Every structure is written in C-alpha cells, then in structure tokens.
Amino acid sequence: MEATQEDATRPKALCPEKLSPDGLGLLRKSIDVDERKGLTAEELIEIIPAYEALLVRSETKVTADLLAAAKRLKVVARAGVGVDNVDVPAATKLGIIVVNSPSGNIQAAAEHTVALLLSMARNIPDACASLKAAKWERSRLVGVEVKGKTLGIIGLGKVGLIVARMARGMGMQVAAADPYASPSVAEAANVNLVGSLGELLPVADFLTIHTPMLASTKGMLSHAEIGQMKKGSRILNVARGGIVDEVALLAALESGQISGAAIDVFTKEPPNKDPESAASKLIAHPKCVCTPHLGASTVEAQENVSIDVCEQVLQILAGELPRSAVNAPIILPADHKTLQPFVALVEKMGSLYTQHFTSPKEQSGRTTFDLTYEGEISMISSTKPLFAAFIKGLTSPISDAEGFNVNIVNAELVAKERGIFVNEQKSRDPSTQAYSSLITLVARPPSRAPSLNRVEQVSTADLNSRRAKEERHIISGYCSDRSPFISRIDRFSTSFKADGVLIICHNYDSPGKIGVVGGLLGKENVNINFMSVAPATYMNNEAHVPKMAQERLRTPSDASTPTESTEALMILGVDREVDDKVLKGLVEGGGVLSVSSVVL
C-alpha cells in the first residue's frame, strides 16, 4: 500500500534501545517510530538527521557530535531518572529539549534498595548458591537483624524518602544528610536530618546513597569517608556508579572495615571483564551482593517511564510545554494548563510583529520590547514559557529557513546573541476589565544615551524620517476558549483569531473600499474566509496601554496629536498565501495605503 502524503509528513522517532511497547504504542498513533537496536555510534550519527525525537535508556550515548548531526531533532527522551548519558549543555545550545521520567521508577528503585539491604543482612545470595551446590551451611551463614539498626541515607529525595519510610516500617532508626531536604518533610517521616556527611557516617550501620551523579558527588565515598564509618557497617549503592570509589570499597571489604556491600551500579557498565579490575573483584567478593543495574527493572517501572516520556515527546512535538525537561525551567502543574493558550498567543504576537512591521528584505526591526501581562495571567509564578514563545515567534519568520529551533530551552541564549531585549512586566491596571487576561506588546527603539554638547541642523524631511524610525508599535491579545485573538494593532481596535493566512490593509475608511479589495482578490482566485474592519480608536499608540508601558511611550508631542478617525485596518483571512504582485495590486488599484501578508 502506498504511503499517503500525511504519512510522509508525520514526525519520526528513533528508539535504539528496548522500551516498553505501551509507550511506543502511544507514539505510533501520530508519529512514525523506528526501533533500531544495536546501532554503533557511527551508525547513529549517520541516520539521526531524519528524526525529530530520540528515545533512549542508559546504553545510548547522546554526545555533542550526535546532537550536532541531528538537524531535525527537537527532543531527547531518557526513559529513566538520570541523564548522565546525554550531553545536556550541547542539547541546550541547539534548542533540543531533554526530558526524563523523574518519578516513573522511584518505587522500583526504593524496593530494590530494601531488597539488597535484606539480602546483604541475611546472606541470601550466598545461602542460595550454597544450597544449590548441595551444601548445608547454616552456621556459616548467620546474618544480622535490621530492627534497631541505623540506616544512613545520603540524599533524601523521592527515592531516599520512600526507602526511609520502608526502613522505619522494619523498625530501623533513620538518619539522613541532604543540604536541600526539607526539615519538616524529614520530621514527618521520622528521619533525623543531620548537618553533614561527617555527622552521618559514624552513626550508620547501613549506608545507602540516593544522589545524582555530578562533579560534586563523583567519588563522594572514598578511603577517608569509609574510614569514618563504624567498623563492620555495610554500604549500598543503587544510585549511580562512581559515587562510591570502587577501589576504596574493595579495600574496606578486604580489611574488614565494612562487613558487606550491595552494589547495583558500576563506574563502567557493563563492568570491565579484566579479573584484576576493582569492579571484577567486587563482583567476585563473597561479602558483596551485586546486581546488573536492576534498580528500575520491574514491569511496572518500565511501563511507567515509557508511557511518561512518550507522552512528553508527543506534547513537545505538538508545541506544548514540557513537564519534566531537565534543561528548561520547571513549570508548576497549576500554572501549566493556564499558560498553554497564552504561549500560543505570545508566539503569534511575535510572529505578527515581524511579518507586519518589518521589512522581509532587510529583516530588521525593533530590538527592544515590553511585554505586559494583565489580569489572571499576571498571577503566574513563571513567565519563562511566554518569553520563550515570544522570541520564537519574533525570530521564526526569519530563522525557520535555516532550520533553527527556538524554544524554552535556548530562548534566552538566542535573544542575547541577536541583541533582543525584553522587559517583562505584570500589571493589575483596571483597563483590562474587558478581558480576564490581556497581553500587550510594545516594540520600541533601543534606549540611547544623549550626545553631549552636540548641535545638529537637519531638514524637515530628515526629522520626519527619524521620527518615523522611532515610532512605537503595539499589539495586544487575549484568549477566548483557549484560542488566541488579537485585540489591537497600533492605533487600531480589532478582534480576530490569530490563525491562518491574513492580509492586513491600512487604508482610509471610505465607502466601497471593502468591495474594491474583495473584487481584486476575487480576480486572483483568493477566497476570503473572514473580514474584520479595525477603526483608529487609540490616540498615538498610547490609550489603553498598561500604565507601565505608557511611561515608555510618551513623547512631548503626544498631547497635541489628534486621532486619525478616517483611517482603518482591514484584516482579511484568506485561503492561501498571496504573492507580491497581488499585494502591489491592492495598493495601486484598491486605494490601500499599505498592505502586508501574514501567516500565523
């Protein structure tokens, strides 16, 4: 069966590792998914340019070279918690969103920690192997109870907190070291939150680690730290390989400083097969219980993380906000739903400004902008998504041809590189009572320091030209039923849905103008879907602009300039893009002062 045009334009996702079919099934409803296991690094780089999404677990190394080759890539999804195998700074610079599943496997990791703790305390792996070898060594395999013992936890995050609650359920005392943990949360879980690692190590009978792998945590437990622990204590690591120094751990086991270790993660995975390596000796050591990175390996966890990251991939490819992006600001769930329609609105306002007010040939315009949020939207704690959407809308009409992706991840970097300055303001001005929320964009020339002791003589034409260049431009918008609407363009009051192909005509508001424009478009076989006439309602681009924005707009001549009530904008929604010939015909034959074609 031949592929349809819709199939040919569907986004593509690459999955080079095994993921739960539940999540991939969600993806396949709207995008194409290629499962290509066993690819080399070179093969990945060769094929990655064809994909918009990359889904990995822990084996695939998402390097800077791979990301640079991924010209269409919008998202890297890591089905798990850590992103050690992803070059996040390189992805950020390229505007590629990196998402993970921070909560999909926390229960599995916590349960595996407790399973290893009990296995180590009761010598279960050794006892199982002994019995299978037809031995009966009850006296050699005497273990210890955990009740009444102290469990030390490094990192009281989501996994650490669940482990703490499970340990308390077994009658253990729990102490934890975490500079960012909430004292009230620790108190509620009956955890003694200590001030430093140095306070925790001497009191722990069992020590478990639940921190990410960072420069500050690499080798966190080495010779000196293990030397501070009780003689005969035990260590667990179900977090990340390398946090515990494998050489130091092996030495402590052999010296008897610690009497047991339980390791699920290694510095190099799979571990080096060299029998003389520290990892190989740990695996072979009779006092070490080892598993091959099984912390998240439950049916439920694999389903959870797969569904979670696949849902996020679909959201990002649809232009929605990421909920678990590791290289983007965290958006509170309560704010997420409220922000989404306004993200679309602000992006369209930025695009409308660039297409309507700037020259396509010069690709130049204002570089200083005020964004004022009024009403309910001003209550949102983070406006980062709105800022990013504006930068994307502002630059996309120029940059899309270059394949450059602007989003919440790299918007600030893009703005800085292009010299774009955005002043974000929140206002409770009563002028917004007509709308529950209103966003106003003011584009203005950058502030310039006055020249000292300088006198110029300029002609009237030059003066008028300078004033024209310093003219402010204003666009206001609101949302209705979660759809974006434009309510103002400069002095003209309007209300139209910001969607599709638009023709915006600036003309004198005289009888017959609509018929002339409609007739000219009809001759070019351009159908008009809707039309809105916007009268010149505002005075000098100031009235009904939020007070904070008004201060930036006022000039000494504002008070005396009258409103041109005979001018109007005619906004027409049409069924296709029109060429310069049609636009020129509207100006020459339709009595239109100026015209622009906009695609939103």
Side-chain angles (χ1 to χ4, degrees):
M1 186 173 70
E2 293 185 5
T4 64
Q5 185 173 357
E6 182 181 353
D7 291 335
T9 59
R10 279 160 55 106
K12 296 177 67 179
L14 176 63
C15 184
E17 299 183 55
K18 180 177 175 57
L19 256 68
S20 167
D22 297 321
L24 297 181
L26 286 176
L27 288 182
R28 287 193 170 98
K29 293 178 181 178
S30 55
I31 71 176
D32 295 330
V33 180
D34 289 345
E35 293 184 78
R36 302 279 299 274
K37 301 177 185 66
L39 294 171
T40 66
E42 292 74 20
E43 289 170 334
L44 263 176
I45 288 177
E46 184 178 350
I47 67 173
I48 197 64
Y51 296 94
E52 283 83 5
L54 174 64
L55 294 93
V56 301
R57 290 182 65 190
S58 56
E59 294 179 9
T60 304
K61 305 303 179 187
V62 186
T63 63
D65 289 341
L66 178 62
L67 293 167
K71 300 301 183 184
R72 297 168 60 182
L73 199 64
K74 292 181 173 61
V75 56
V76 174
R78 159 75 166 95
V81 179
V83 287
D84 309 13
N85 55 321
V86 181
D87 191 329
V88 177
T92 301
K93 188 173 182 180
L94 294 168
I96 298 170
I97 300 174
V98 180
V99 300
N100 65 348
S101 181
S103 59
N105 57 16
I106 58 174
Q107 184 68 28
E111 289 183 6
H112 194 65
T113 302
V114 174
L116 287 178
L117 187 151
L118 292 173
S119 295
M120 177 172 52
R122 299 303 300 269
N123 300 312
I124 290 174
D126 192 359
C128 180
S130 172
L131 190 58
K132 287 179 183 290
K135 298 177 183 179
W136 193 262
E137 301 179 290
R138 293 181 65 194
S139 59
R140 185 179 71 83
L141 297 167
V142 174
V144 296
E145 293 182 10
V146 299
K147 182 180 179 180
K149 303 295 193 301
T150 297
L151 174 65
I153 301 177
I154 302 175
L156 197 64
K158 293 178 180 178
V159 177
L161 199 57
I162 294 175
V163 170
R165 288 168 177 157
M166 289 179 173
R168 290 291 301 171
M170 294 189 296
M172 299 186 78
Q173 302 298 315
V174 182
D178 186 334
Y180 304 107
S182 165
S184 60
V185 171
E187 184 180 1
N190 291 311
V191 175
N192 176 27
L193 195 61
V194 300
S196 67
L197 188 60
E199 292 180 56
L200 180 68
L201 295 175
V203 302
D205 298 298
F206 293 82
L207 183 71
T208 182
I209 301 160
H210 300 288
T211 69
M213 178 60 170
L214 305 169
S216 58
T217 60
K218 185 176 181 180
M220 176 188 288
L221 283 185
S222 192
H223 296 280
E225 291 75 21
I226 295 175
Q228 296 177 52
M229 297 181 67
K230 290 181 181 180
K231 188 174 180 64
S233 56
R234 294 166 172 85
I235 294 174
L236 300 100
N237 186 10
V238 189
R240 282 288 178 267
I243 296 176
V244 178
D245 183 331
E246 292 171 351
V247 173
L249 180 62
L250 178 63
L253 275 174
E254 292 179 339
S255 70
Q257 169 63 20
I258 63 170
S259 60
I263 306 297
D264 184 50
V265 289
F266 297 85
T267 303
K268 184 179 185 301
E269 295 183 352
N272 194 328
K273 293 183 179 180
D274 178 3
E276 296 303 313
S277 69
S280 294
K281 289 183 177 181
L282 280 173
I283 293 169
H285 201 284
K287 293 293 184 181
C288 188
V289 178
C290 298
T291 50
H293 204 147
L294 298 180
S297 295
T298 65
V299 172
E300 295 84 355
Q302 294 306 303
E303 289 176 351
N304 290 341
V305 298
S306 177
I307 291 171
D308 187 10
V309 297
C310 288
E311 285 177 345
Q312 292 188 75
V313 166
L314 291 175
Q315 290 170 340
I316 290 166
L317 294 182
E320 298 180 15
L321 298 175
R323 66 171 179 262
S324 296
V326 299
N327 58 346
I330 296 173
I331 308 302
L332 297 175
D335 291 346
H336 192 281
K337 186 176 180 180
T338 302
L339 274 173
Q340 193 62 59
F342 291 97
V343 166
L345 169 64
V346 173
E347 180 178 340
K348 289 177 183 291
M349 289 171 66
S351 182
L352 174 61
Y353 167 78
T354 296
Q355 294 182 70
H356 180 60
F357 287 119
T358 66
S359 167
K361 292 180 180 179
E362 296 178 4
Q363 295 187 345
S364 62
R366 304 292 186 266
T367 58
T368 303
F369 302 89
D370 300 322
L371 271 177
T372 303
Y373 312 116
E374 300 180 82
E376 293 176 3
I377 191 67
S378 68
M379 307 298 180
I380 296 296
S381 58
S382 174
T383 58
K384 290 288 186 183
L386 300 176
F387 171 86
F390 174 64
I391 299 299
K392 180 180 180 181
L394 196 69
T395 59
S396 289
I398 299 170
S399 303
D400 271 356
E402 304 168 15
F404 191 69
N405 183 32
V406 180
N407 55 28
I408 194 171
V409 169
N410 65 347
E412 289 192 6
L413 179 62
V414 172
K416 184 177 180 180
E417 288 178 345
R418 302 192 178 199
I420 299 170
F421 301 93
V422 181
N423 304 298
E424 292 183 277
Q425 306 164 17
K426 294 180 179 180
S427 171
R428 297 182 182 180
D429 192 286
S431 65
T432 62
Q433 288 180 357
Y435 312 100
S436 60
S437 294
L438 182 73
I439 297 179
T440 298
L441 164 66
V442 177
R444 55 191 177 85
S447 301
R448 288 186 299 224
S451 300
L452 298 177
N453 301 319
R454 181 177 180 182
V455 178
E456 291 183 291
Q457 290 186 356
V458 296
S459 66
T460 302
D462 287 340
L463 185 59
N464 289 337
S465 175
R466 289 187 185 184
R467 286 175 176 171
K469 289 179 181 178
E470 293 181 356
E471 181 184 358
R472 278 77 164 170
H473 294 302
I474 301 171
I475 298 173
S476 292
Y478 65 96
C479 288
S480 177
D481 293 330
R482 300 184 69 80
S483 295
F485 283 80
I486 301 300
S487 60
R488 174 179 181 179
I489 300 177
D490 275 352
R491 293 179 292 115
F492 304 97
S493 175
T494 183
S495 181
F496 65 88
K497 190 173 182 179
D499 188 41
V501 181
L502 307 174
I503 296 176
I504 302 177
C505 302
H506 178 200
N507 53 268
Y508 288 119
D509 191 10
S510 56
K513 193 69 64 182
I514 295 173
V516 172
V517 171
L520 287 170
L521 292 176
K523 289 180 181 179
E524 298 292 337
N525 294 317
V526 177
N527 291 317
I528 299 175
N529 298 324
F530 75 85
M531 184 195 67
S532 174
V533 176
T537 305
Y538 303 103
M539 178 81 73
N540 298 307
N541 289 354
E542 181 175 340
H544 295 280
V545 175
K547 287 181 178 178
M548 285 185 288
Q550 285 181 26
E551 296 302 320
R552 298 184 179 277
L553 289 173
R554 289 197 177 102
T555 61
S557 61
D558 279 347
S560 60
T561 307
T563 302
E564 293 286 353
S565 59
T566 57
E567 292 181 34
L569 288 185
M570 192 187 309
I571 299 101
L572 304 107
V574 296
D575 63 345
R576 63 179 176 85
E577 293 187 54
V578 297
D579 56 28
D580 290 341
K581 176 185 174 184
V582 175
L583 300 180
K584 186 176 180 181
L586 289 173
V587 174
E588 293 177 350
V592 173
L593 299 173
S594 63
V595 63
S596 66
S597 177
V598 174
V599 181
L600 299 177

